[in-house]
Amino acid sequence: MALPNSDHDVIIIGSGAAGLTAAITLADHCRVLVLAKGELTGGSTAWAQGGIAAVLDAGDTFENHIEDTMVAGAGLNRRETVEFVVENAPHAIERLIEMGVAFNKEEGALHLTREGGHSHRRIVHVDDATGWAVQAALLRTAEAHPNITLLPGQACIDLITGRHEERYSGSGRVWGVYALDEATGKVHAHVGRATILASGGAGRVYQFSTAPRGATGDGIAMAWRAGCRVSNMEMMQFHPTCLYNLEVKNFLITEAVRGEGGILKHPVTGHRYMPDYDPRAELAPRDIVARANDDQIKRFGLDYVHLDISDKDPDFVAGHFPNIYEKLLTLGIDMTKQPIPVVPAQHYTCGGVLIDLDGRTDLPGLYAAGEVTESGLHGANRLASNSLLECFVFGEAAAKHIVRHWDELGAPPAIHPWDESRVTDSDEEVVIKQNWTEIRRFMWNYVGIVRTTKRLERAQHRINMLSGEVGEYYGHFRVTTDLIELRNLLQCAELIVKSALHRKESRGLHYTLDYPELAAEAVDTVLVP
């Protein structure tokens, strides 16, 4: 259905934790349209197994949580952001409990688990499927509010800026987004006073990723094309333990399995190797564990390594990780008795669109929250369970800033409709599939966990060649979701490689054999369009 421009005041791109938190915060003040690519539950939020980090334990302090986040982030975090998020965490948990999230309890108090990099138990969780519970509660709340319209099946193409105004302006002011209605094939202009990007990360740039199918960096690419700076795109987090199974893609074995005593072993010799790499062994930060797993696999020519928690009480294991336990049983693996085969996989995009503490981007009228952003929280490596937290805190911050500055935002001008007068339907979908596969493969091989300048330059060469091909294809054919995603994947791949070549040191998630040392000063890699 075509929606008239005046129907909504704020356009939100993404229906995960960040987008829905913003929508719910705004809904008492204005009319909100939430656009989702595919299903409303298709984002990363629903996939989050671990939980949400917050200082709730008597012996824990904000300072401890701030320090743990800074240490994991290898000095690249912005301290004021870390303080802001950590101090707002208990409030975020309270809001979720009010919305009906039934966090696990023990003797009347919230049950807190511990994960790698944390000095205290501070992870609230709903079994090992926190994301599903959070996504469901947010959706219920949003669906019940008359001022929120949820519209699935919308693939966003480009942000609407001043140059799309009927009277044309080079202001860079954002007025919404052009989106493809996947059911009808029509492109609509969704216009509002303010726009919030909450579209998630760019994990699908890689061949092996725990990210959902739709994590193609759409928001990062759209913001870049519209004129926003992006920061630290080389900081791609690889989760150390993704299930190795040729039939099942992207099944994550949560960090908490190691937190509760799971150990990593060489699958042939049974040697426990993590103490050889780091005194914190299995509880070292993710980047260290992922590199160790990658090193074992490459050095010994393995397909996978083993994660073993079978020496713990079977009832404890099955009770703590019911979803993982059940899933593995269907694949013939009993984690209470045998080890789990695991490999590293891309897991989280720590870089993204640069924002301030109000969620504002460089462009007037455009806000962003969650994995699409680089807020300064994660630095060079995200601490476990800080990701959902960032979504709640910045989703609310952006919404509150919009409400406070409502009158200054002004009503949208007349906007040109989408122009497809010069394009035809594609007769070569195979081109898209081929290029998509190629990008993901060379990004995994050349821009993965361990990098070299030569490999990065090879990737850059491939990107340059593909950019011409994809650009020409995009100019000639009608948009489809696959074409939109391919264009965005390629754009994000280019930003990642450019950032990685720029950083002449190894810090956090960016590890290069050509510059193995840490530079004296931690400096963000900021790219300007």
Side-chain angles (χ1 to χ4, degrees):
M1 58 178 182
L3 293 165
N5 285 350
S6 59
D7 266 12
H8 301 97
D9 304 308
V10 179
I11 311 299
I12 297 177
I13 301 166
S15 59
L20 292 178
T21 298
I24 292 161
T25 308
L26 282 164
D28 286 342
H29 306 274
C30 59
R31 297 159 305 165
V32 183
L33 175 65
V34 179
L35 301 171
K37 185 169 67 172
E39 302 287 321
L40 291 168
T41 54
S44 296
T45 297
W47 294 48
Q49 290 176 344
I52 306 158
V55 173
L56 300 163
D57 190 36
D60 201 3
T61 63
F62 284 154
E63 195 48 51
N64 287 335
H65 190 176
I66 290 164
E67 198 49 40
D68 290 346
T69 303
M70 299 290 286
V71 167
L76 206 62
N77 332 56
R78 291 193 278 292
R79 192 176 178 92
E80 58 166 359
T81 306
V82 179
E83 288 171 358
F84 174 66
V85 174
V86 166
E87 286 165 13
N88 277 288
H91 162 70
I93 303 295
E94 274 169 38
R95 274 194 81 186
L96 291 169
I97 292 170
E98 281 167 22
M99 287 183 216
V101 178
F103 291 113
N104 288 24
K105 293 193 167 180
E106 200 171 59
E107 295 170 9
L110 288 170
H111 178 265
L112 304 174
T113 187
R114 184 176 168 186
E115 293 183 352
H118 288 274
S119 57
H120 289 73
R121 286 184 170 266
R122 63 167 75 98
I123 319 296
V124 298
H125 62 105
V126 182
D127 296 332
D128 54 354
T130 309
W132 272 114
V134 167
Q135 179 78 44
L138 288 168
L139 265 179
R140 272 198 312 272
T141 308
E143 281 165 346
H145 204 295
N147 273 353
I148 298 176
T149 303
L150 300 167
L151 200 57
Q154 307 298 310
C156 293
I157 307 167
D158 268 316
L159 293 168
I160 295 169
T161 64
R163 63 199 177 88
H164 301 106
E165 291 178 26
E166 283 189 1
R167 26 161 273 226
Y168 188 86
S169 114
S171 65
R173 171 72 161 89
V174 173
W175 295 111
V177 70
Y178 289 112
L180 170 71
D181 185 317
E182 294 175 328
T184 65
K186 293 274 178 285
V187 176
H188 300 294
H190 298 290
V191 180
R193 288 182 180 220
T195 305
I196 303 177
L197 272 180
S199 51
R204 284 294 170 147
V205 168
Y206 286 94
Q207 186 178 2
F208 299 106
S209 172
T210 64
R213 167 73 180 70
T216 49
D218 304 334
I220 296 169
M222 287 193 297
W224 171 259
R225 287 194 295 265
C228 288
R229 287 173 301 163
V230 300
S231 174
N232 297 344
M233 285 297 289
E234 72 277 28
M235 298 303 176
M236 271 290 175
Q237 186 175 68
F238 290 82
H239 197 286
T241 55
C242 184
L243 175 69
Y244 177 80
N245 185 291
L246 299 179
E247 303 304 309
V248 179
K249 297 278 187 284
N250 320 327
F251 187 69
L252 191 61
I253 308 297
T254 173
E255 194 101 359
V257 172
R258 298 201 311 284
E260 296 297 346
I263 58 174
L264 287 159
K265 295 176 175 175
H266 188 291
V268 182
T269 64
H271 173 62
R272 180 189 182 187
Y273 55 80
M274 272 316 298
D276 306 341
Y277 292 91
D278 192 283
R280 290 164 292 187
E282 281 80 8
L283 288 178
R286 285 179 177 176
D287 56 324
I288 293 168
V289 183
R291 274 201 300 278
N293 291 355
D294 185 64
D295 184 53
Q296 289 283 311
I297 287 167
K298 285 184 174 145
R299 193 192 312 180
F300 297 106
L302 307 169
D303 287 328
Y304 53 82
V305 292
H306 273 157
L307 176 60
D308 195 353
I309 196 169
S310 62
D311 64 330
K312 296 278 177 271
D313 176 64
D315 292 339
F316 168 83
V317 174
H320 252 69
F321 308 107
N323 291 290
I324 296 173
Y325 174 68
E326 292 294 336
K327 177 73 172 179
L328 292 176
L329 277 184
T330 67
L331 302 169
I333 301 166
D334 182 347
M335 69 187 285
T336 67
K337 295 181 180 151
Q338 59 199 120
I340 308 162
V342 294
V343 287
Q346 187 286 336
H347 183 57
Y348 195 85
T349 309
C350 288
V353 181
L354 209 50
I355 58 165
D356 68 8
L357 293 184
D358 293 312
R360 287 184 296 176
T361 70
D362 292 331
L363 300 180
L366 181 66
Y367 296 75
E371 195 178 354
V372 70
T373 69
E374 199 277 290
S375 67
L377 175 62
H378 307 305
N381 185 22
R382 173 175 74 84
L383 184 65
S385 292
N386 269 356
S387 50
L388 283 175
L389 179 57
E390 181 183 37
C391 293
F392 307 129
V393 172
F394 278 99
E396 186 168 333
K400 285 182 166 172
H401 189 272
I402 289 168
V403 172
R404 283 200 308 274
H405 297 271
W406 188 249
D407 294 337
E408 298 157 40
L409 287 166
I415 297 294
H416 282 299
W418 181 254
D419 176 17
E420 51 177 39
S421 59
R422 298 182 303 280
V423 294
T424 58
D425 286 324
S426 163
D427 54 356
E428 289 186 298
E429 289 292 311
V430 66
V431 175
I432 294 177
K433 205 176 180 78
Q434 164 63 28
N435 287 349
W436 172 288
T437 308
E438 191 177 338
I439 292 166
R440 295 182 69 202
R441 189 162 287 155
F442 73 63
M443 287 297 289
W444 182 259
N445 289 331
Y446 296 158
V447 199
I449 296 173
V450 176
R451 299 163 181 174
T452 66
T453 303
K454 192 171 240 151
R455 282 185 217 158
L456 292 173
E457 284 169 348
R458 282 194 183 121
Q460 191 171 47
H461 178 64
R462 299 297 312 133
I463 289 165
N464 292 344
M465 285 172 65
L466 283 170
S467 293
E469 261 181 54
V470 173
E472 187 191 10
Y473 192 96
Y474 182 81
H476 284 91
F477 298 114
R478 275 198 187 88
V479 290
T480 61
T481 302
D482 286 348
L483 178 54
I484 292 164
E485 290 183 332
L486 176 66
R487 182 182 180 224
N488 293 334
L489 269 181
L490 188 58
Q491 182 62 77
C492 288
E494 186 184 347
L495 294 170
I496 293 164
V497 171
K498 205 171 179 178
S499 302
L501 279 166
H502 182 78
R503 188 171 289 281
K504 304 286 195 272
E505 63 163 348
S506 286
R507 182 181 297 275
L509 300 164
H510 176 71
Y511 186 79
T512 168
L513 296 174
D514 292 314
Y515 301 97
E517 300 303 313
L518 196 65
E521 199 184 347
V523 182
D524 290 320
T525 306
V526 180
L527 301 181
V528 181

